[in-house]
Amino acid sequence: MQNSSEPKKYKNSFLNWIEYRLPIVSYIEKEYGDYPMPKNCNYFWSFGALASIILVILIVSGIFLAMNYTPHTDMAFNSVERIMRDVSYGWLLRYLHSNGAAFFFIVVYIHMLRSMYYGSYKYPRELNWILGVFIFLLMMATSFLGYVLPWGQMSYWGATVITNLFSAIPLIGEGLKTWILGDYTVGNATLNRFFALHYVLPFVILGVVGLHVAAVHVHGSNNPAGIDIKSKDDTVKFFPYMLVKDTFMVCVFGVVISAIIFFGPNLMAEVDNYIPADPLVTPSHIVANWYLAPFYAILRAIPDKLGGVILMFGAIAILFILPWLDSSKTRSCNYRPIYKWFMMLFFVNFFVLGYVGMMPAEGIYLLIARIGLVYYFAFFLIITPLIGKYEKPGHLPASIRDVYIDGKNY
Amino acid sequence: MEKIIKMKILRALILTLSFIIPISSFAAGNSDQKIPKHEWSFTGLTGTFDKSAIQRGYKVYREVCSGCHSMNLLYYRDLIDIGFSEDQIKAIASDYTVIDGPNDEGEMFERSAKPADRFVSPYANDQEARISNNGSYPPDLSVIVKARKNGADYLYNLLLGYDEPPQGFELSEGMYYNKWYEGHQIAMAQPLDDEYVDYDDGTENTLPQLAEDVVTFLAWSAEPELEVRKNMGIKVILFFLITGLLFYLMKVRLWKDVS
């Protein structure tokens, strides 16, 4: 079938035929075969691959769930329970999906913290970081929408609390809230549109992930030393060196997530969500999903509603400009003796914010949330720009290969 | 060099813990009395349901709880999982009446329930349920074990938790004192006591035994997939462990020559 004048790049004539018409074979070969990875990358560099695998699992399990789900206020709760009881392996689909979402956040958080610690967001990967923050934002929206679908008590009241935030916006707030809900309160119109959006947003995420991966492949991956690739001696090919490492990590991750899915599938769920939604009964305290809790803590730390909303969205928005807030040219915190400790404190602070976000907003929890909030913003707006100016960075190694041979791959 | 790194990791760890420990100890001191743990056959990695206990528990539900509490996620056919035969299920279902229709004449009619019917509810609607129970709604019990903190342990202790109110405790009209209910005032009168239900298999019908059996039944109804789930979990984890080990060995071998 192949024209004799066509180039014969590969042994297989079918591949040659495809390649001549759509050069996808050489693309895969270049990006997933020969793609150079710095030798010294540690296992933190596997979390991007893990995240994309989880995304695919979520989309596939979600499609099968959608085939059995009914987005109607009278039937949603029972249809989810029907999936759990009567659909073949429906419980597996649902537990995979709900716990998978939680693990998606865990993995993405680690991926983001890795990026921050080793300065992966800096020149020339700023756009890559921005796309990543955009993915994170989409993930938050999607998980919130998905949490509403089982139509339990926490679904209903979570939706009520979060959509109420929009009414804090001056002038257009109330109108905007009604427009989002499709009604004056959370109701059937809301559930229907949330289902439609929850179905479509993951595909948007998938698209942005495509851009995110394409962008990182332009300048190549960062590495623990944070220095540029200078020669071929600094790198290994993705196949098989990184693929083997990534697959090992997938297995480790598989053990962890299976332990949860099969032996404690409701550990990360709120018991109230097994009570059907009841607009007349308010749960004693409405909690956010734990993976959104740090931002929920920030929201509640401010006594003023509008102020809380601004700070909560500000806490995410500030991530977009991180590459320009950081004045240091040194990427990796391994060579930043002072900033490193503020970075560690930032991680701890983020966990603490998450913890108090799950607790009632009163007494000591409120106080801790306020201290945490101050550090969160101070870290980005004061500490990061200032330390970069005055800190004396450590001596950078000559090449990635030197770092690798010394065994300093952390 | 390595020693310095270890020191640094240790310091980071101590820093982290110094943040977490005071908070968690505070939280522990703040919470209500801890619910005592009961020994269940279905907890743990390889826990399974005791079928005779579920059957006894179903008898308790049928003779006592079902007077007020619906279980509308269950079908009579589901009872096959806990060891009833098809004929037994047909006989159980036929004790109940459901409204069906309309028939060819356009009339609704009553018929006895079939295995494919849902558990028949004690009340026609929520309003009837409330008016019959002093304004309180008896919750559906299908997934109650998943819908309460500490699930089975909580329900077991709740059933045993009825007591005289302590001195100075103001009990509202028509309410009962229960040690484990939030606020200690519950609208449900003590539902079970010694010898309330007679067992066919000669098991002693003490209150703790009745409570244990009915909670076992409720745990099954909330998670009928539990045994299949745990069984599959062990296989899946083994798969990942073995595959992971192979890939780790492959990684070590492959990277040995990288320099």
Side-chain angles (χ1 to χ4, degrees):
Chain A
M1 65 185 175
Q2 205 182 11
N3 197 315
S4 56
S5 63
E6 288 178 20
K8 292 188 171 51
K9 202 171 163 192
Y10 304 100
K11 273 186 189 156
N12 185 319
S13 63
F14 178 67
L15 289 185
N16 282 326
W17 187 87
I18 298 263
E19 174 69 14
Y20 187 60
R21 281 149 188 86
L22 181 71
I24 192 171
V25 185
S26 60
Y27 174 82
I28 291 172
E29 201 176 24
K30 180 165 164 276
E31 301 297 343
Y32 296 98
D34 301 337
Y35 177 71
M37 280 293 293
K39 278 176 185 171
N40 60 339
C41 283
N42 54 38
Y43 281 108
F44 281 118
W45 265 262
S46 293
F47 280 80
L50 269 186
S52 43
I53 289 169
I54 300 171
L55 178 61
V56 172
I57 291 174
L58 286 176
I59 288 178
V60 173
S61 59
I63 290 171
F64 283 100
L65 287 172
M67 290 175 189
N68 293 290
Y69 171 75
T70 313
H72 187 285
T73 50
D74 293 340
M75 289 179 262
F77 185 88
N78 283 355
S79 75
V80 171
E81 277 302 323
R82 200 187 79 85
I83 291 172
M84 300 283 287
R85 292 160 174 277
D86 291 330
V87 173
S88 303
Y89 294 103
W91 57 267
L92 180 59
L93 282 176
R94 187 185 173 224
Y95 283 151
L96 192 61
H97 197 74
S98 61
N99 289 301
F103 274 98
F104 195 23
F105 274 91
I106 296 177
V107 166
V108 165
Y109 277 136
I110 295 175
H111 188 63
M112 289 170 82
L113 295 183
R114 187 272 286 156
S115 178
M116 286 175 74
Y117 186 85
Y118 295 114
S120 304
Y121 55 82
K122 289 184 196 180
Y123 173 85
R125 300 184 185 86
E126 302 97 324
L127 184 59
N128 205 45
W129 168 260
I130 290 175
L131 287 167
V133 177
F134 196 57
I135 293 170
F136 178 54
L137 206 57
L138 284 169
M139 279 170 63
M140 291 170 86
T142 310
S143 73
F144 160 68
L145 295 169
Y147 197 59
V148 178
L149 302 185
W151 208 243
Q153 272 290 68
M154 221 36 99
S155 298
Y156 178 87
W157 289 99
T160 303
V161 169
I162 300 296
T163 51
N164 238 323
L165 298 179
F166 290 97
S167 68
I169 302 168
L171 298 175
I172 58 160
E174 280 298 331
L176 181 66
K177 184 188 136 192
T178 313
W179 181 73
I180 290 169
L181 293 180
D183 201 339
Y184 295 105
T185 55
V186 175
N188 198 48
T190 317
L191 182 57
N192 258 293
R193 61 187 55 195
F194 278 18
F195 177 56
L197 290 172
H198 183 71
Y199 199 99
V200 78
L201 279 184
F203 295 97
V204 179
I205 294 179
L206 195 64
V208 185
V209 166
L211 294 176
H212 186 69
V213 174
V216 78
H217 280 220
V218 174
H219 292 282
S221 302
N222 186 31
N223 61 81
I227 54 176
D228 290 329
I229 297 169
K230 294 193 183 85
S231 74
K232 266 197 128 154
D233 286 343
D234 290 343
T235 62
V236 286
K237 287 181 176 180
F238 181 83
F239 181 87
Y241 294 94
M242 282 315 283
L243 189 67
V244 167
K245 278 179 89 171
D246 285 353
T247 314
F248 169 64
M249 266 311 264
V250 168
C251 292
V252 172
F253 175 75
V255 172
V256 177
I257 195 173
S258 304
I260 296 288
I261 289 175
F262 294 103
F263 296 98
N266 290 310
L267 281 179
M268 295 195 279
E270 286 298 324
V271 287
D272 280 28
N273 232 21
Y274 280 107
I275 304 170
D278 186 348
L280 300 176
V281 182
T282 321
S284 52
H285 90 273
I286 300 171
V287 285
N289 261 347
W290 63 264
Y291 42 84
L292 302 178
F295 300 100
Y296 195 55
I298 292 176
L299 170 78
R300 295 188 308 176
I302 306 297
D304 176 60
K305 192 170 160 192
L306 180 61
V309 173
I310 290 173
L311 280 190
M312 183 178 72
F313 284 106
I316 303 159
I318 205 165
L319 294 172
F320 280 110
I321 54 166
L322 175 60
W324 294 275
L325 289 173
D326 192 343
S327 52
S328 170
K329 291 266 184 289
T330 310
R331 291 198 191 103
S332 172
C333 275
N334 283 350
Y335 303 97
R336 301 189 62 185
I338 303 170
Y339 188 62
K340 170 193 221 158
W341 295 108
F342 285 100
M343 183 66 87
M344 300 268 197
L345 187 59
F346 176 80
F347 299 163
V348 174
N349 183 56
F350 193 70
F351 273 105
V352 172
L353 274 177
Y355 179 78
V356 294
M358 305 283 294
M359 293 291 142
E362 58 200 24
I364 185 143
Y365 297 121
L366 193 58
L367 182 71
I368 296 172
R370 285 176 179 162
I371 298 170
L373 159 80
V374 169
Y375 184 73
Y376 186 96
F377 282 98
F379 174 80
F380 285 114
L381 294 174
I382 302 166
I383 296 169
T384 302
L386 277 188
I387 290 188
K389 280 206 177 93
Y390 298 109
E391 179 186 49
K392 196 172 164 291
H395 182 68
L396 289 179
S399 76
I400 290 174
R401 184 165 180 266
D402 291 353
V403 184
Y404 179 74
I405 288 170
D406 285 352
K408 289 189 284 187
N409 304 326
Y410 38 82
Chain B
M1 190 64 201
E2 212 166 288
K3 211 170 176 187
I4 298 171
I5 303 304
K6 275 186 186 151
M7 282 292 293
K8 282 182 175 173
I9 292 173
L10 202 69
R11 266 156 67 191
L13 207 70
I14 291 168
L15 193 70
T16 316
L17 287 179
S18 65
F19 269 82
I20 294 166
I21 288 167
I23 298 170
S24 53
S25 55
F26 174 80
N30 202 21
S31 65
D32 272 343
Q33 241 182 311
K34 258 203 142 58
I35 292 190
K37 290 246 183 277
H38 185 71
E39 190 90 12
W40 300 104
S41 65
F42 50 83
T43 51
L45 286 189
T46 52
T48 51
F49 286 122
D50 175 356
K51 281 203 175 137
S52 48
I54 305 182
Q55 288 197 14
R56 290 195 300 269
Y58 173 59
K59 192 161 196 260
V60 178
Y61 168 74
R62 195 159 49 136
E63 293 182 10
V64 183
C65 320
S66 70
C68 302
H69 292 278
S70 62
M71 285 187 91
N72 56 31
L73 294 175
L74 271 78
Y75 295 86
Y76 292 107
R77 61 169 160 78
D78 292 334
L79 296 173
I80 201 128
D81 285 357
I82 60 173
F84 285 102
S85 71
E86 278 184 41
D87 290 332
Q88 281 173 313
I89 294 171
K90 270 185 196 153
I92 290 169
S94 64
D95 286 347
Y96 297 89
T97 316
V98 291
I99 295 170
D100 203 348
N103 61 13
D104 294 346
E105 281 95 48
E107 306 283 338
M108 300 302 278
F109 59 92
E110 285 189 349
R111 61 163 173 81
S112 55
K114 289 184 282 198
D117 284 312
R118 289 175 185 275
F119 276 24
V120 174
S121 297
Y123 303 109
N125 48 52
D126 290 6
Q127 286 77 0
E128 193 196 352
R130 275 187 197 280
I131 199 75
S132 318
N133 288 286
N134 203 10
S136 295
Y137 181 70
D140 185 271
L141 296 183
S142 312
V143 287
I144 198 81
V145 170
K146 287 196 285 191
R148 294 291 182 274
K149 275 215 170 74
N150 303 308
D153 289 328
Y154 166 73
L155 294 171
Y156 178 76
N157 285 292
L158 187 80
L159 289 171
L160 303 182
Y162 285 88
D163 209 344
E164 287 301 314
Q167 281 281 309
F169 188 89
E170 288 254 352
L171 209 55
S172 306
E173 171 101 26
M175 302 296 267
Y176 304 88
Y177 183 82
N178 191 303
K179 204 175 156 190
W180 300 108
Y181 193 73
E182 201 181 344
H184 306 304
Q185 293 200 54
I186 186 166
M188 172 170 70
Q190 180 167 358
L192 289 176
D193 210 336
D194 290 341
E195 298 171 8
Y196 264 35
V197 177
D198 285 323
Y199 283 147
D200 309 325
D201 61 359
T203 308
E204 251 195 300
N205 51 359
T206 57
L207 170 61
Q209 183 66 41
L210 295 178
E212 182 180 299
D213 289 344
V214 77
V215 173
T216 305
F217 167 69
L218 293 175
W220 164 78
S221 79
E223 299 189 293
E225 86 293 346
L226 179 135
E227 289 178 9
V228 183
R229 171 159 59 79
K230 288 184 176 177
N231 205 330
M232 187 192 279
I234 289 172
K235 289 176 198 153
V236 173
I237 288 179
L238 270 178
F239 166 80
F240 279 123
L241 281 176
I242 294 167
T243 320
L245 181 70
L246 290 177
F247 271 92
Y248 182 72
L249 294 175
M250 209 189 290
K251 187 252 159 193
V252 170
R253 182 96 176 254
L254 194 64
W255 280 72
K256 210 171 62 187
D257 300 330
V258 176
S259 60

